[in-house]
Amino acid sequence: MAKTIAELQREMAQAMDHEEYELAAKLRDQIAALTPGSAIRVQQPGQMGLGTDTQAVRPTEGWKPPPKPDLMTRNTKARGGRK
């Protein structure tokens, strides 16, 4: 027999009161699966790394990387009294 959303919410609140967070998370996922219009997103493996929700990042259209600095001009400020 399937439980209603209200029953699951009640059980989740009780689990939170008793500090049973893993059970509360499972109940939350069950509520999300039963709620119309909500879908649980499943991460595609190998996109950004373990445990992230963010998928592969793509630069915006027309973006160009900045020019690399010239290594011969590093630390060329005048030192001491020179100008």
Side-chain angles (χ1 to χ4, degrees):
M1 183 170 144
K3 294 183 179 182
T4 64
I5 294 174
E7 291 173 352
L8 290 172
Q9 288 174 338
R10 215 171 304 119
E11 288 181 25
M12 184 177 73
Q14 289 175 352
M16 291 294 292
D17 289 340
H18 295 290
E19 297 181 359
E20 297 175 7
Y21 300 115
E22 292 178 11
L23 176 61
K26 289 178 185 179
L27 292 169
R28 178 201 60 212
D29 294 341
Q30 289 177 6
I31 292 168
L34 293 175
T35 305
S38 71
I40 297 175
R41 287 183 16 202
V42 178
Q43 179 186 359
Q44 298 173 359
Q47 292 295 316
M48 285 292 290
L50 297 175
T52 61
D53 284 349
T54 309
Q55 300 295 323
V57 177
R58 293 185 184 98
T60 58
E61 190 174 322
W63 181 82
K64 295 179 183 177
K68 292 185 178 181
D70 184 11
L71 298 177
M72 298 302 290
T73 60
R74 283 178 74 188
N75 299 324
T76 58
K77 291 182 181 178
R79 296 183 185 174
R82 292 188 271 161
K83 290 186 180 181

